[in-house]
Amino acid sequence: MNISKYLGLALVGACALSACNKGPRSATNPGKYSSTTGIEYNTDEGMKVSDYQGIPDGPGLVFIEGGRTVLGSAEEDVAMTHDNLERTVTLASFYMDEAEVANIHWLEYLHYVRKDSAEEFYMSALPDTTVWARELSFNDPYVDYYLRYPGFRYFPVVGVSWLQANDYCTWRTAKVNERLASDASDSGGGSRKGGLFGRKKNKGGDAAEGTSDDGGVKIAIENGNTLPNYRLPTEAEWEYAAQALIGTQETGNENQENKRIYPWDGRQVRNPYGKKKGQFLANFKRGRGDYAGIAGSLNDGAMITEQVFSYPPNDYGLYNMAGNVNEWVQDIYRPLSYEDVEDLNPFRRNGYLDPSEKYDKKGYQSLIDDHVRVYKGGSWRDVAYWLSPGTRRFMAEDSATATIGFRCAMINAGSNK
């Protein structure tokens, strides 16, 4: 071995131990060599470290910067439930759908489910369109047309239970990541075709690693080329996103100048500014028998639901965080969640504290068990009281109505910003 080869090896070793890469190590700049062992990455001996430029953009999502806030009802507790008293918490940043899941999105879901799943599951995914039926009201056209007629495409899907909403989140995660894996495969010179969960092994790229036990694509999260799970937001996330208190703090400190009753400034439900001054900022029931105003000057303009991009968005860019339809959240319902849960990313899950045995559901003294879930936001059929983000109600997770829909959320993986 000649002297030049010895010098070359010495230089490689020095480079490895001194971390030749310029700048501090980070998720997007891990360096060519391990800073603890000096072993080169992406070699036969070294660990595979994929290129990573941050979490991919999730279709339909808006970034919600986390922080400290005061959750709880800002309205008088007219229902006398005392189940959401004010308390200070901190929420990590996350993502949320800018609008409610619409009929066209659910029809897309049904399209792929029918292609890739058993007929039994397809039938279980169908919304309950009979939620519109009322014995003393002529809502029959909505039963037949609301979900599938093209004019209703961007109206929020209703008649969907909490369980069905969770199934949708699971499908959406798989479908979006299948597309991302396919894009990475194509860019790597390979190709992959298949059903919803990818029935053929990936030939190229690094977004997937082979096949799972059921024959689908096995996503390797270490590569960072796929998204975390779409899911229902927690109650705390939903309430925080609805408050949208960004920009309300005093200059130079962290004190908030005001707290909102609704997802907009002020104490009123009408627009106080501009050409639309006096018009309602959400779709709700104004009073007994008054769903929309009078002909020739309709106010909120919606006898039932309205398109998901109607009405001004809040300061996070989220539409209809008050009114239109209530929205399912992840949490199981308990009256004392506000004092039981943690003050960092609070969440009430099944099977921990406040057991359902304490509630006499069998004796018809309570409606609470481990299968009732929280919904929030108010709907086209609710009065203004329920538009306040701090109000909360619950319903059985396998039930559905014409006043409840949902939107998805996602963690902000690998970042505090």
Side-chain angles (χ1 to χ4, degrees):
M1 187 178 290
N2 58 39
I3 188 67
S4 60
K5 192 169 184 179
Y6 277 117
L7 288 173
L9 289 173
L11 287 172
V12 170
C15 184
L17 294 174
S18 63
C20 278
N21 303 78
K22 296 180 180 179
R25 300 294 180 92
S26 67
T28 57
N29 180 33
K32 186 177 181 180
Y33 299 89
S34 168
S35 58
T36 55
T37 65
I39 298 174
E40 185 177 359
Y41 294 134
N42 299 317
T43 61
D44 291 340
E45 179 184 359
M47 182 178 71
K48 179 177 174 57
V49 179
S50 301
D51 290 336
Y52 176 67
Q53 300 302 322
I55 185 171
D57 291 332
L61 297 176
V62 171
F63 177 68
I64 309 296
E65 184 180 14
R68 182 198 69 204
T69 192
V70 177
L71 298 183
S73 181
E75 284 276 51
E76 183 181 355
D77 190 3
V78 297
M80 300 297 289
T81 55
H82 306 293
D83 64 350
N84 202 22
L85 302 187
E86 293 186 334
R87 72 279 187 198
T88 300
V89 303
T90 295
L91 277 295
S93 298
F94 60 100
Y95 294 88
M96 181 177 278
D97 276 342
E98 64 176 336
E100 297 142 342
V101 173
N103 287 324
I104 191 171
H105 304 136
W106 199 268
L107 291 174
E108 180 187 24
Y109 169 49
L110 294 177
H111 166 77
Y112 285 106
V113 165
R114 183 154 234 174
K115 288 176 59 177
D116 297 305
S117 303
E119 185 69 14
E120 181 181 7
F121 183 76
Y122 172 79
M123 297 301 295
S124 73
L126 293 172
D128 181 6
T129 59
T130 65
V131 294
W132 290 106
R134 309 286 290 182
E135 292 185 357
L136 298 177
S137 180
F138 187 65
N139 288 346
D140 305 44
Y142 302 136
V143 175
D144 297 328
Y145 289 97
Y146 182 82
L147 174 64
R148 297 183 184 275
Y149 187 73
F152 288 116
R153 280 175 178 165
Y154 276 92
F155 283 59
V157 67
V158 297
V160 173
S161 70
W162 183 92
L163 295 173
Q164 288 176 306
N166 271 272
D167 287 340
Y168 174 87
C169 293
T170 301
W171 166 83
R172 186 175 175 184
T173 302
K175 198 62 182 173
V176 171
N177 281 335
E178 179 191 16
R179 179 184 61 80
L180 291 172
S182 179
D183 290 347
S185 176
D186 292 342
S187 66
S191 63
R192 182 180 57 78
K193 297 179 181 179
L196 171 58
F197 299 105
R199 306 306 179 192
K200 188 179 290 186
K201 186 173 179 179
N202 188 359
K203 300 292 186 181
D206 62 357
E209 291 186 353
T211 55
S212 60
D213 293 338
D214 64 359
V217 171
K218 182 179 179 182
I219 301 297
I221 63 174
E222 294 88 349
N223 292 315
N225 292 325
T226 54
L227 288 167
N229 292 341
Y230 284 88
R231 56 174 172 79
L232 292 177
T234 67
E235 181 178 5
E237 286 174 337
W238 193 98
E239 189 172 330
Y240 177 84
Q243 289 178 348
L245 289 172
I246 54 174
T248 63
Q249 61 265 41
E250 296 178 8
T251 303
N253 60 43
E254 294 185 88
N255 294 322
Q256 288 178 332
E257 295 178 340
N258 58 70
K259 182 176 180 180
R260 293 169 171 162
I261 297 177
Y262 306 110
W264 51 78
D265 288 336
R267 306 182 65 85
Q268 71 282 343
V269 293
R270 297 175 185 266
N271 192 331
Y273 309 110
K275 295 181 180 180
K276 295 186 178 181
K277 183 176 181 179
Q279 294 194 3
F280 283 117
L281 293 166
N283 177 16
F284 65 101
K285 187 177 180 179
R286 298 167 58 179
R288 181 172 295 178
D290 187 354
Y291 290 84
I294 62 174
S297 183
L298 293 179
N299 203 308
D300 71 30
M303 287 69 173
I304 54 166
T305 56
E306 181 55 282
Q307 297 194 59
V308 297
F309 294 108
S310 300
Y311 311 101
N314 72 7
D315 285 352
Y316 276 128
L318 304 174
Y319 291 84
N320 289 298
M321 292 299 284
N324 213 26
V325 289
N326 292 287
E327 297 178 16
W328 289 114
V329 297
Q330 275 200 59
D331 298 50
I332 191 170
Y333 176 81
R334 288 294 187 271
L336 298 181
S337 289
Y338 69 90
E339 68 177 30
D340 290 339
V341 296
E342 301 267 358
D343 59 3
L344 174 64
N345 299 323
F347 172 58
R348 166 70 77 178
R349 66 180 78 244
N350 282 350
Y352 188 74
L353 293 180
D354 203 5
S356 60
E357 291 78 16
K358 290 185 177 181
Y359 300 90
D360 186 15
K361 188 169 184 177
K362 291 183 178 180
Y364 302 102
Q365 301 301 307
S366 175
L367 296 173
I368 299 173
D369 61 16
D370 287 339
H371 301 284
V372 291
R373 302 288 174 169
V374 178
Y375 65 90
K376 298 175 74 73
S379 77
W380 60 272
R381 200 172 181 178
D382 292 317
V383 295
Y385 172 78
W386 298 107
L387 304 184
S388 182
T391 57
R392 61 199 301 252
R393 288 174 285 181
F394 65 91
M395 192 171 70
E397 62 186 21
D398 60 353
S399 298
T401 79
T403 63
I404 301 180
F406 72 101
R407 72 182 75 211
C408 301
M410 180 186 293
I411 65 168
N412 179 36
S415 174
N416 285 319
K417 298 181 180 179

